[in-house]
Amino acid sequence: MKEIKKVVLAYSGGLDTSIIIPWLKENYNNCEVIAVAVDVGQGTELDGLEEKAIKTGASKLYIEDVRKEFIEDYIYPTLKAGAVYEQDYLLGTSFARPIIAKRLVEIALAEGADAISHGCTGKGNDQVRFELTIKAFAPGMKIIAPWRLWDIKSREEEIQYAEARDIPLKINRETNYSKDKNLWHLSHEGMDLEDPANEPLYNKEGFLEMSVSHEQAPDEPTYVTVSFEKGIPVAVDGQKMNSVDLLTKLNEIGGKNAIGLADLVENRLVGMKSRGVYETPGGAILYKAHQVLETITLDKDTQHYKYIIAQRYSELVYNGQWFTPLREALDAFVDKTQETVTGDVKLKLYKGNMINAGVTSPYSLYSEAFATFDEDDVYDQKDAEGFINLFGLPITVKAILDAEREGK
């Protein structure tokens, strides 16, 4: 086996990756470790990372800002597809992993690294998402996944390992939730959440970061209007914004109104069920507004078939199959459906609820002239009789033949 001299590590500065740097050096003959932090909107979590990475044993740290690419090339395609995993999960961690792993490969190849390492556990989905992407761009690259190799069995043992090596941590044993944050969402797993019988402690200090609890939300509703062009959000309340600013603005508006809080037990790719609590304030607004706009801009058959596509798309994203021919083919279908998804959607936000408050589009298929209950000159209601007779013909024929067979 080729000797490992240089490893590129997906680095967040959290518990897992903080101890992986010394572990790699201890177990791979003091190899060089290059840390890579890919900025998908972690915010202050990136503060002080370089000093920490170097002090822990890394030779250098890359901080790569891919927020714009993340939103436009990963979030927006998923939004346009209407993909939601198991009805509630808006895929915040899922579509962040491919872009992170892709950048890892690019740096590893540029640095001439022998291996790529990550801190994903052997129980989770992220190991699959990282490694499928690595295989797509560097199929011969060695992958080192310490959680599948070392003797550490729990987060408590991780903390002990870090303390024994004077590795500074931003967590403690009382607030040791497993969290993942980016510009789209924040996830919470572990501790009391591992028992589905426990209610999430939304009002617990330090738990929610992007949102407030339903009780803390304003007693008066907030109205927000989102404008779309071909399925892509381009403005909030009439103000055009770039993708990063737009999502940041909606996170602020949604967070203040407790929008996008989700508590669910999901089916992991590896087979087990897991419980997570998610904050996706701006993302939830975008999904709701986009869905409302499609109700007036898509014809019936396209809209209904797109529901099928959405489920399959969500599974691809969740399972880490981003860089696959099927996902690209589904994107081509979705992009065709979005050619008329242009317009404005007004939503009424109130204590976690999103209420449709009006939708308009220059491509609307809704005709008041046809839909009205008042008198009209465009629809002959007598036509319905012939339609029902033909539509119901199989039912009628079966009933007649069943009666004949039964001698009625």
Side-chain angles (χ1 to χ4, degrees):
M1 181 181 294
K2 181 181 178 182
E3 182 181 358
I4 303 298
K5 297 181 179 179
K6 184 183 293 189
V7 181
V8 166
L9 169 67
Y11 184 72
S12 68
L15 177 58
D16 294 332
T17 59
S18 292
I19 68 172
I20 285 176
I21 294 177
W23 183 88
L24 286 170
K25 297 180 77 67
E26 291 169 12
N27 288 272
Y28 289 91
N29 197 29
N30 198 34
C31 64
E32 180 183 357
V33 179
I34 298 173
V36 177
V38 181
D39 182 3
V40 287
Q42 299 95 311
T44 57
E45 291 182 8
L46 298 172
D47 294 347
L49 274 195
E50 182 173 10
E51 179 182 358
K52 181 177 181 180
I54 301 300
K55 187 175 181 180
T56 312
S59 63
K60 68 175 79 170
L61 171 70
Y62 285 87
I63 296 181
E64 304 290 297
D65 185 353
V66 299
R67 291 175 299 164
K68 184 175 183 292
E69 181 184 353
F70 174 46
I71 296 173
E72 297 176 6
D73 294 348
Y74 295 79
I75 290 177
Y76 283 174
T78 309
L79 168 67
K80 290 190 292 183
V84 181
Y85 185 70
E86 295 187 339
Q87 299 184 309
D88 287 309
Y89 176 42
L90 297 183
L91 298 164
T93 299
S94 305
F95 49 40
R97 295 314 186 222
I99 188 172
I100 293 172
K102 181 173 180 285
R103 192 69 191 107
L104 281 175
V105 172
E106 293 168 349
I107 292 174
L109 294 176
E111 287 280 354
D114 305 302
I116 292 175
S117 182
H118 61 74
C120 308
T121 75
K123 288 184 176 181
N125 304 302
D126 280 344
Q127 58 182 335
V128 181
R129 296 164 183 158
F130 270 106
E131 294 183 29
L132 291 188
T133 300
I134 295 170
K135 292 179 185 298
F137 293 100
M141 181 68 68
K142 167 80 173 171
I143 299 172
I144 300 175
W147 268 106
R148 305 200 297 251
L149 299 171
W150 60 23
D151 295 328
I152 297 172
K153 302 299 182 184
S154 67
R155 292 178 69 79
E156 174 64 28
E157 291 184 10
E158 284 188 286
I159 294 175
Q160 293 174 1
Y161 185 98
E163 290 175 342
R165 289 158 179 80
D166 296 321
I167 298 173
L169 299 174
K170 293 182 180 180
I171 63 172
N172 58 51
R173 288 172 172 80
E174 287 70 41
T175 61
N176 189 21
Y177 289 104
S178 176
K179 296 189 177 187
D180 176 73
K181 185 178 183 181
N182 59 48
L183 201 58
W184 184 252
H185 89 154
L186 175 65
S187 64
H188 310 257
E189 292 181 317
M191 296 182 62
D192 55 301
L193 297 178
E194 291 189 346
D195 185 351
N198 293 330
E199 179 183 3
L201 302 176
Y202 290 133
N203 288 317
K204 180 179 179 180
E205 184 178 355
F207 184 72
L208 296 179
E209 297 180 26
M210 299 177 72
S211 309
V212 299
S213 68
H214 300 87
E215 295 86 351
Q216 294 170 323
D219 293 329
E220 297 296 325
T222 297
Y223 287 88
V224 62
T225 298
V226 183
S227 302
F228 292 83
E229 292 179 4
K230 294 186 176 182
I232 295 175
V234 295
V236 174
D237 292 332
Q239 182 179 354
K240 291 232 174 187
M241 301 181 186
N242 64 51
S243 56
V244 174
D245 291 343
L246 185 144
L247 183 54
T248 301
K249 180 66 175 178
L250 289 179
N251 278 336
E252 177 187 345
I253 296 171
K256 289 179 179 178
N257 288 278
I259 301 299
L261 294 176
D263 173 16
L264 60 140
V265 174
E266 68 197 55
N267 290 292
R268 283 183 180 174
L269 174 60
V270 295
M272 69 188 70
K273 291 182 182 288
S274 66
R275 196 269 190 97
V277 170
Y278 299 95
E279 301 176 58
T280 320
I285 292 173
L286 287 176
Y287 263 82
K288 176 65 175 179
H290 184 264
Q291 179 266 324
V292 170
L293 184 56
E294 285 192 331
T295 65
I296 68 168
T297 56
L298 297 186
D299 65 276
K300 174 185 173 182
D301 285 343
T302 300
Q303 186 177 352
H304 287 192
Y305 195 77
K306 194 165 174 287
Y307 295 151
I308 301 172
I309 293 297
Q311 178 175 335
R312 188 68 184 96
Y313 201 105
S314 73
E315 292 169 352
L316 289 174
V317 177
Y318 189 86
N319 294 343
Q321 297 171 294
W322 187 269
F323 297 106
T324 58
L326 178 54
R327 199 272 306 168
E328 293 176 0
L330 292 181
D331 272 349
F333 168 82
V334 170
D335 284 344
K336 182 64 179 177
T337 70
Q338 300 300 289
E339 289 180 354
T340 59
V341 184
T342 295
D344 301 323
V345 181
K346 180 188 289 187
L347 296 177
K348 180 180 181 180
L349 312 179
Y350 183 68
K351 293 188 179 295
N353 296 291
M354 293 181 287
I355 303 161
N356 182 12
V359 54
T360 60
S361 171
Y363 301 101
S364 176
L365 299 176
Y366 181 87
S367 171
E368 187 175 351
F370 277 91
T372 183
F373 283 95
D374 294 330
E375 182 179 352
D376 67 83
D377 297 320
V378 297
Y379 184 86
D380 189 344
Q381 298 195 28
K382 293 179 182 178
D383 292 343
E385 181 178 358
F387 166 75
I388 294 171
N389 288 337
L390 290 175
F391 188 67
L393 186 58
I395 298 173
T396 302
V397 171
K398 183 179 185 300
I400 292 172
L401 295 178
D402 284 348
E404 290 178 355
R405 279 188 285 269
E406 294 171 5
K408 293 181 180 179

